[in-house]
Amino acid sequence: MPEIKNYTMNFGPQHPSAHGVLRLVLELDGEVIVRADPHIGLLHRGTEKLAEHKTFLQALPYMDRLDYVSMLCNEHAYVQAIEKLAGIEVPLRAQYIRVMFDEITRILNHLMWLGAHGLDIGAMTVFLYCFREREDLMDAYEAVSGARMHAAYYRPGGVYRDLPETMPQYEASKIHNAAAVKRMNENRQGSLLDFLEDFTRRFPTYVDEYETLLTDNRIWKQRTVGIGVLTPERALALGITGPMLRGSGVEWDLRKKQPYAAYDKVDFDIPVGVNGDSYDRYLVRVEEMRQSNRIIKQCISWLRQNPGPVITTNHKFAPPGRESMKQNMEELIHHFKLFTEGMHVPEGEAYSVVEHPKGEFGIYLVSDGANKPYRLKIRAPGFANLSSLDEMVRGHMIADVVTIIGTQDIVFGEIDR
Amino acid sequence: MMEWLLPIQNLLGPAWLPIWTAVKIMVIVGPLMGAVAYLTLAERKVIGWMQIRIGPNRVGPFGLLQPLADGIKLLMKEIIIPSGSNKFLFVIAPVMVLMPALAAWAVVPFNAELVLADVNAGLLYILAMTSLGVYGVIIAGWASNSKYAFLGALRSAAQIVSYEIAMGFALVTVLMAAQSLNLGEIVRGQQGSYGMLNWYIIPLFPMFLVYLISGVAETNRAPFDVAEGESEIVAGFHVEYSGMAFALFFLGEYANMILVAFLTSIMFLGGWLSPVSFLPDSIAWMFAKVAFVLFLFLWFRATFPRYRYDQLMRLGWKVFIPITIVWVVVVGGWMQTPYWLW
């Protein structure tokens, strides 16, 4: 009789639910996974090495491209590292703007995750609903930075510029006539803050819509309850962070435990799961979207009442204003130095970490006093999360692998870097 | 009827019967293929609206020529045969999927007179034909010599076999109620003075649900599309197919969908009978009911996540088969009492 052997299957990198370029070598006993071996590196772009050859400011846009669905949170960790090393004081208004955009980014990320996760499990419609809301938030990105995704909006010492008073408008085209465009532009007549306030009013009902489709759906529950269970002990041992850790019932959120920017001045709750399965992680993330919405609301009302500078006045790091530059010799020199050789960050090392939508995103920066980082190390949360994949999928079926990849919220930009 | 055809009949002599039958087959298959083509468009439009999109609207007015463009595109494409495949089986498999899906239409009555073959064992014939389709799927998966296709074939074999049983039992209650296997007789059994209250959906409502859900599973449609499970095994059994060979699988799937919709309306929704007694019976009712059932198919696809393979089997074996067996006994007992009104 021939020996019965396990079946080895290549899952990805070109697979609809590989979330980019994940390659898994699955050892299967029938449809049951015996072993899953993730292969990474297919999206390696050498961000860390590239940063060593760029000035501090030139390396900033690379941060957007790490986890390309939560752009500004990556930037936040990076600018924070520079600020820590240089001891720059960030104006409060800039901190509030950063918190607001971090939370917009969190919603953007979680919407992308929810849509893709739903699509992996076969619920198509949620995906398109999520993208409808992402559109509005990307418009907010566009209004503030000119780019819908790779914003490059944060700067060491603050943010690039203050919030705009107008929103970009839709224009009539072959597809949308003037009347339709007028309707679409209705909530874009005021400033960015007006637009975001309108969004925060609408958003909870949208989240209810997604929940109507999924939360109590029998099939959704059958597909996620008890799938990919992660005990709190194992989650901590594997270095898992973010919603994955909170889904396992560990209340750990840097925004509360080690508050940075203005997070200690806003009011929000940290949702935690109970069973540590995919369903709990789903609930945690959905609740996080609601909490982010709450934070955005508080930031909007603070930002309305407190105008002020949005970037530091230390002109070793931030460019001086045009008028003062034209009248003041010292400012002119600052401007010249900044735009020719860039900022010099004092010698030393710093580790800065933020609560990224996927977990703890850290930047370890070593500077030798030059205008480039001596070494930049990125701690990507997705990398630690992915390392738990083998453990989570063992004993589950092929369809569950897809669920678990989805629940880990993997993005390859940050894992391969 | 058809007296005007008599001269041609005399002219052709013995060749008349095969020619006339071929003409009738054409009259059924032609519109059926058209219906399949436009069902794909309807699917994309309906799901598009449910998903706040527009759907195809570039080819022709409202995208009405889209199916034509898709058909031409698929025809022009190369059929790639994987080097490690079994060539004969690889080519024959799509034909084996489409063939039974079309052959089953022979006994489907469109109204009281319009039926190609009014055979007494019509229901049995349908069951036999729809069961054959799974062989095409299994052969396609096996002949492709691909692991993904093979997994899809295994899933589909297990799925179709288990849902066939529940489906069969659901139909047993129908033929108990109608006392006939002839599809035309089944519809006539639902005739009465109370309009839609005479339809078998009233006494056999649980069976209607079981049949409808099994029908979705049988045609490999969402949420039971584990055999192609796009996000898991990419496209399952037809992952290696391209061009017209792929299109044949598609045609087969949609022809089967329409067939299940027809059977549901014949067996539970009174076929061509009018839902209210003051309106005349007509073929239009038939099409309206079919369109409704097809809409349900599309609605399911837009709403539900996909079942996992083992959950699907559990639903089939542990839920549907016990329910149907119990209901067969219940209907049997009920028919012996004076309270059976159908």
Side-chain angles (χ1 to χ4, degrees), chain A residues 309-371:
Chain A
V310 292
I311 194 155
T312 178
T313 45
N314 181 346
H315 297 311
K316 301 275 184 233
F317 294 95
R322 300 283 308 171
E323 297 97 41
S324 55
M325 184 193 100
K326 301 225 157 138
Q327 290 159 9
N328 185 329
M329 187 65 200
E330 201 174 345
E331 304 287 50
L332 180 66
I333 296 170
H334 275 139
H335 182 271
F336 179 75
K337 292 289 264 182
L338 262 179
F339 284 91
T340 49
E341 54 177 49
M343 60 187 80
H344 288 262
V345 173
E347 208 175 314
E349 51 191 74
Y351 181 67
S352 112
V353 63
V354 295
E355 184 67 29
H356 186 268
K358 295 184 168 66
E360 293 184 20
F361 182 90
I363 296 279
Y364 177 64
L365 189 67
V366 183
S367 172
D368 55 0
N371 59 352

Side-chain angles (χ1 to χ4, degrees), chain A residues 168-413:
Chain A
Q169 310 279 316
Y170 284 111
E171 279 164 25
S173 69
K174 211 168 142 189
I175 297 162
H176 295 295
N177 59 25
V181 165
K182 192 155 180 269
R183 208 168 44 247
M184 288 155 73
N185 281 334
E186 240 161 41
N187 51 13
R188 288 155 202 270
Q189 296 310 314
S191 68
L192 171 71
L193 286 177
D194 295 334
F195 176 73
L196 281 175
E197 194 168 24
D198 177 59
F199 178 82
T200 53
R201 260 201 304 276
R202 287 178 285 138
F203 189 60
T205 58
Y206 293 147
V207 180
D208 292 342
E209 269 178 32
Y210 317 141
E211 288 216 76
T212 315
L213 276 170
L214 299 176
T215 306
D216 290 324
N217 187 318
R218 287 177 68 96
I219 304 177
W220 180 260
K221 277 182 129 173
Q222 284 181 19
R223 287 299 305 276
T224 52
V225 173
I227 303 300
V229 178
L230 206 55
T231 60
E233 296 78 38
R234 280 310 289 161
L236 287 168
L238 286 160
I240 284 167
T241 47
M244 292 268 294
L245 184 65
R246 293 194 282 276
S248 297
V250 183
E251 201 197 328
W252 177 259
D253 189 318
L254 289 176
R255 292 176 294 171
K256 276 265 192 250
K257 302 285 173 188
Q258 300 170 12
Y260 54 93
Y263 275 115
D264 51 349
K265 299 181 192 69
V266 289
D267 188 28
F268 62 100
D269 300 318
I270 308 287
V272 287
V274 179
N275 305 313
D277 57 9
S278 299
Y279 187 65
D280 279 15
R281 289 187 282 269
Y282 157 75
L283 293 177
V284 164
R285 288 191 172 111
V286 169
E287 185 53 33
E288 274 186 14
M289 288 203 276
R290 294 186 192 274
Q291 294 299 332
S292 297
N293 196 50
R294 238 176 100 191
I295 299 176
I296 295 175
K297 262 189 188 157
Q298 296 169 41
C299 290
I300 292 171
S301 59
W302 191 93
L303 287 166
R304 274 192 199 288
Q305 290 153 11
N306 297 281
V310 292
I311 194 155
T312 178
T313 45
N314 181 346
H315 297 311
K316 301 275 184 233
F317 294 95
R322 300 283 308 171
E323 297 97 41
S324 55
M325 184 193 100
K326 301 225 157 138
Q327 290 159 9
N328 185 329
M329 187 65 200
E330 201 174 345
E331 304 287 50
L332 180 66
I333 296 170
H334 275 139
H335 182 271
F336 179 75
K337 292 289 264 182
L338 262 179
F339 284 91
T340 49
E341 54 177 49
M343 60 187 80
H344 288 262
V345 173
E347 208 175 314
E349 51 191 74
Y351 181 67
S352 112
V353 63
V354 295
E355 184 67 29
H356 186 268
K358 295 184 168 66
E360 293 184 20
F361 182 90
I363 296 279
Y364 177 64
L365 189 67
V366 183
S367 172
D368 55 0
N371 59 352
K372 299 169 192 165
Y374 176 76
R375 174 82 170 95
L376 180 79
K377 167 79 180 80
I378 299 159
R379 187 231 185 252
F383 185 77
N385 294 353
L386 181 65
S387 65
S388 68
L389 186 86
D390 179 46
E391 200 166 296
M392 285 169 82
V393 299
R394 276 193 193 192
H396 286 310
M397 305 185 88
I398 294 181
D400 298 328
V401 174
V402 173
T403 312
I404 290 168
I405 294 174
T407 197
Q408 291 199 336
D409 195 7
I410 289 169
V411 162
F412 267 80

